[in-house]
Amino acid sequence: MQMQSISGIITQVHNTNGETPPPLVGASMTVVGDRVFVFAGRLVTSRKMTNYMYVLDLNTLQWTRHIPPPDSAKPPKPRYFHSADVYNNSIVVFGGMGYSRISTDGLCVLDDISVFDVETMTWKRPTVEPSLFAPRPRYAHLSAIVEDKLVVIGGQDMNNGYLGEINVLDLKTWEWVHAKTFDKHVGAYRSIAITAPPKTRLPIMLREGGTTSIDTPSPIYLYTNYNFADVKRELQLIFTPSGASSAVEDCSNYMSGSAMPPGLRFPTGHTLGHHLVLAGTYLSPQSQSFTIWALDLGTLTWSRIETGSVFTQGSWNRGVLHETTNRFVVFGHRGRNLLDDYNHRQVNFDHIAMVDMEAFGVYNLPKATCSTLAQEMGLSLLNEPAVSDFRIITIENQSIPVNSAVLSQRWPYFEQLMKENLLKAHSMSFPYPHPVVIALLQFIYTDNLLTAQQYQPHILSQLLLLADMYELPRLRGLATHALHQMLNMSTAPLIFETAALSHQTSLQVRALKMMIAAKKMIQQQQQQQQAQQQMTP
């Protein structure tokens, strides 16, 4: 039996099938739900620009070329290096470079807006009134959506000059409502602009400095790298870009890490949980590969996503984030040469590599389901025997009074037993230790893990096993998240075993990596001690 390497578990390569897109330059790639939408771009073979839409189902890995139905507006003109952003189950396309009937080289830069409705799979052309705040035509720009606004940043004009401005489109009224100068050279070749979900923690340096409050809306994170021989990295946070009080915080000097990202060409950026995920092509005389990095948004600490040898062979070109599975999906061709393809700016779609980001502690966080007050009321109800009509008997034969209506509502297994009239004498034996049963009941009454009793490694391990056994997905997510947070060299063996028994492969792999690191550290310490003993006479 062949042993599988850890990196082989973390990153899995698959063939795609169906109507695979041809190699493209400057196409947009957008994820909505479980589908990737690849729009427009220039064909590598004929150098002709397209306005085709290809759709990949991430569950079946089947490509289809989408033909709009008769009731759809016309697709946007052929183009490349445009922007495409997800907004309310639709994709907003802006700008890019396309064909011109009047210029000598037959090309022009664009400033039009089109919307692709993912539900109806049709195009719409909103009427956008002329405005003093409208952006100049551009391509290879950056864009992000903040609070019902499309924010367009930088990019280049027809003469490849950088455009130093930020423009804001209100997506409810389809009006350009704000513009401001931004004296930075940013664009698709060297920069990313992304937003984080609401309530993502801001860098601790800004919280301590008092420059932001809890109510500050999520900023746009603008990361730029340039001067690739001796790479320079910049990180700006742009707050309320659509308002008069817009502020830019330069956090470049706050970034740290035992290793820092090298210069990445045509980088892409995404947020997942409390992390920014940065990926792109790294080219040096010694090495050419696709690399992925994660930035902790609370501490601004970089860490490399170690994917083994997968991306050192073949041509891996561009990645997107599949948020629902915590996977980073990289498109490429494992039989081609990266440098050749990069020189043509070519992206291939024949193969995909799926990187499990949760195995690196980068994942979607459990969402809040009820207010702090509701959680406290739930705990009070559990501690109030007057409203109980049922008893849970622990392995130590201790009796815990509970309300059967609450348990039936929140625990399908208990509801089934009640329906089948299998619980006699208003009690149920539940053969687990008293602290574990209390922790489970606290979850059932609050839909959360919030007490000190619950936040102990051995209790959390039991809760994760119970969540798996009784199919409680909310508890599974909360317990897995809590164990990720508690993972260290001393808890790793317990967490590894629990994750294995509860089928949480990502947590299991992360605990295994921690155990291997601990073993290596102990071996190094022993070798150092032996060396010192041999040196002493």
Side-chain angles (χ1 to χ4, degrees):
M1 180 180 153
Q2 191 178 0
M3 291 288 285
Q4 193 174 14
S5 70
I6 294 180
S7 59
I9 300 168
I10 292 168
T11 307
Q12 298 187 340
V13 178
H14 306 276
N15 294 339
T16 63
N17 45 57
E19 299 172 278
T20 308
L24 292 168
V25 179
S28 61
M29 297 167 63
T30 321
V31 178
V32 184
D34 292 337
R35 290 182 289 176
V36 182
F37 294 82
V38 173
F39 175 64
R42 196 191 75 208
L43 294 166
V44 174
T45 46
S46 64
R47 298 185 65 80
K48 181 186 164 196
M49 286 190 217
T50 79
N51 60 354
Y52 298 160
M53 175 73 84
Y54 291 91
V55 185
L56 176 69
D57 184 321
L58 286 167
N59 296 314
T60 63
L61 303 186
Q62 185 88 14
W63 283 105
T64 50
R65 186 183 148 197
H66 176 64
I67 309 294
D71 60 343
S72 171
K74 271 187 167 179
K77 294 182 221 166
R79 65 194 62 215
Y80 72 161
F81 291 115
H82 50 284
S83 60
D85 294 271
V86 180
Y87 173 69
N88 286 357
N89 216 25
S90 59
I91 300 168
V92 182
V93 173
F94 168 76
M97 184 177 282
Y99 290 122
S100 163
R101 293 199 182 110
I102 46 178
S103 71
T104 50
D105 59 2
L107 298 174
C108 68
V109 281
L110 305 165
D111 61 356
D112 57 333
I113 289 276
S114 293
V115 178
F116 185 76
D117 186 322
V118 171
E119 211 159 293
T120 61
M121 299 294 278
T122 57
W123 286 100
K124 296 174 182 173
R125 304 294 287 273
T127 303
V128 181
E129 297 299 329
S131 165
L132 291 170
F133 302 126
R136 287 174 278 173
R138 66 193 62 207
Y139 81 110
H141 50 279
L142 309 176
S143 60
I145 287 181
V146 188
E147 298 180 323
D148 303 314
K149 310 275 196 308
L150 172 70
V151 182
V152 174
I153 306 169
Q156 291 167 273
D157 61 19
M158 198 59 221
N159 302 315
N160 290 332
Y162 277 99
L163 297 169
E165 62 183 17
I166 297 176
N167 304 79
V168 181
L169 177 72
D170 188 319
L171 294 170
K172 288 198 176 308
T173 62
W174 297 106
E175 291 177 282
W176 292 101
V177 293
H178 189 70
K180 65 177 282 186
T181 55
F182 185 68
D183 196 19
K184 293 268 177 202
H185 287 181
V186 297
Y189 174 63
R190 61 201 294 183
S191 322
I192 59 165
I194 54 165
T195 47
K199 300 200 166 142
T200 300
R201 61 185 176 210
L202 289 166
I204 191 165
M205 312 82 184
L206 300 187
R207 298 198 301 266
E208 286 175 344
T211 51
T212 61
S213 71
I214 296 292
D215 302 322
T216 305
S218 289
I220 291 175
Y221 294 82
L222 177 65
Y223 175 82
T224 299
N225 59 182
Y226 56 95
N227 195 23
F228 293 124
D230 179 20
V231 67
K232 301 282 183 286
R233 307 174 194 86
E234 291 181 0
L235 178 66
Q236 270 91 26
L237 272 59
I238 305 171
F239 290 91
T240 53
S242 58
S245 59
S246 173
V248 178
E249 290 280 351
D250 191 337
C251 295
S252 307
N253 294 331
Y254 296 140
M255 291 188 291
S256 63
S258 54
M260 302 280 274
L264 299 183
R265 294 150 204 264
F266 292 102
T268 58
H270 311 267
T271 47
L272 183 59
H274 283 314
H275 287 85
L276 179 157
V277 178
L278 173 74
T281 304
Y282 171 55
L283 300 177
S284 75
Q286 299 78 31
S287 162
Q288 297 94 39
S289 72
F290 188 88
T291 64
I292 309 169
W293 294 74
L295 178 70
D296 184 312
L297 293 175
T299 61
L300 297 186
T301 308
W302 284 105
S303 56
R304 184 173 178 178
I305 304 300
E306 297 285 356
T307 51
S309 61
V310 175
F311 296 127
T312 59
Q313 295 146 358
S315 175
W316 298 97
N317 314 116
R318 197 165 177 84
V320 293
L321 183 69
H322 188 212
E323 207 175 315
T324 49
T325 58
N326 297 314
R327 276 170 169 65
F328 194 73
V329 180
V330 186
F331 291 88
H333 192 298
R334 48 186 163 192
R336 293 185 59 84
N337 179 276
L338 175 63
L339 196 54
D340 291 349
D341 285 349
Y342 174 78
N343 288 335
H344 293 105
R345 308 294 188 258
Q346 170 173 337
V347 176
N348 304 290
F349 299 95
D350 305 77
H351 304 129
I352 61 169
M354 292 188 170
V355 183
D356 179 3
M357 299 300 288
E358 191 188 339
F360 299 91
V362 179
Y363 55 90
N364 252 321
L365 306 176
K367 290 184 168 51
T369 54
C370 56
S371 67
T372 311
L373 178 62
Q375 293 170 31
E376 287 169 1
M377 287 170 70
L379 282 182
S380 302
L381 191 64
L382 177 59
N383 295 327
E384 185 51 71
V387 292
S388 66
D389 62 350
F390 198 90
R391 289 173 303 126
I392 303 286
I393 314 297
T394 69
I395 199 168
E396 304 92 341
N397 214 26
Q398 284 182 271
S399 174
I400 305 169
V402 294
N403 184 290
S404 60
V406 173
L407 263 63
S408 294
Q409 187 72 33
R410 295 281 181 81
W411 190 7
Y413 170 75
F414 185 86
E415 182 189 26
Q416 193 64 30
L417 293 179
M418 291 291 280
K419 272 185 185 166
E420 293 172 8
N421 209 19
L422 296 172
L423 299 172
K424 309 294 183 191
H426 295 283
S427 70
M428 178 177 97
S429 177
F430 196 60
Y432 289 89
H434 185 267
V436 174
V437 180
I438 287 288
L440 176 65
L441 290 170
Q442 287 172 341
F443 161 73
I444 289 170
Y445 272 72
T446 64
D447 208 33
N448 277 281
L449 299 181
L450 69 160
T451 66
Q453 184 156 7
Q454 290 168 320
Y455 274 92
Q456 299 173 59
H458 65 286
I459 299 283
L460 284 169
S461 293
Q462 289 293 316
L463 288 177
L464 181 52
L465 293 170
L466 289 170
D468 186 60
M469 193 182 303
Y470 293 105
E471 293 184 8
L472 296 166
R474 169 75 177 164
L475 180 57
R476 185 187 293 129
L478 291 168
T480 301
H481 172 55
L483 288 168
H484 268 298
Q485 302 301 302
M486 284 195 174
L487 184 59
N488 57 39
M489 288 184 178
S490 61
T491 60
L494 170 68
I495 292 175
F496 174 81
E497 187 181 349
T498 305
L501 292 170
S502 58
H503 314 103
Q504 297 302 301
T505 309
S506 309
L507 178 61
Q508 185 187 358
V509 167
R510 192 165 172 236
L512 178 60
K513 289 194 293 182
M514 183 75 74
M515 288 158 69
I516 291 168
K519 188 177 180 184
K520 280 182 183 169
M521 199 173 83
I522 291 164
Q523 285 173 340
Q524 284 171 351
Q525 287 171 348
Q526 287 171 343
Q527 285 167 357
Q528 285 171 352
Q529 284 170 354
Q530 286 169 356
Q532 284 171 349
Q533 285 166 0
Q534 287 167 358
M535 286 170 66
T536 50

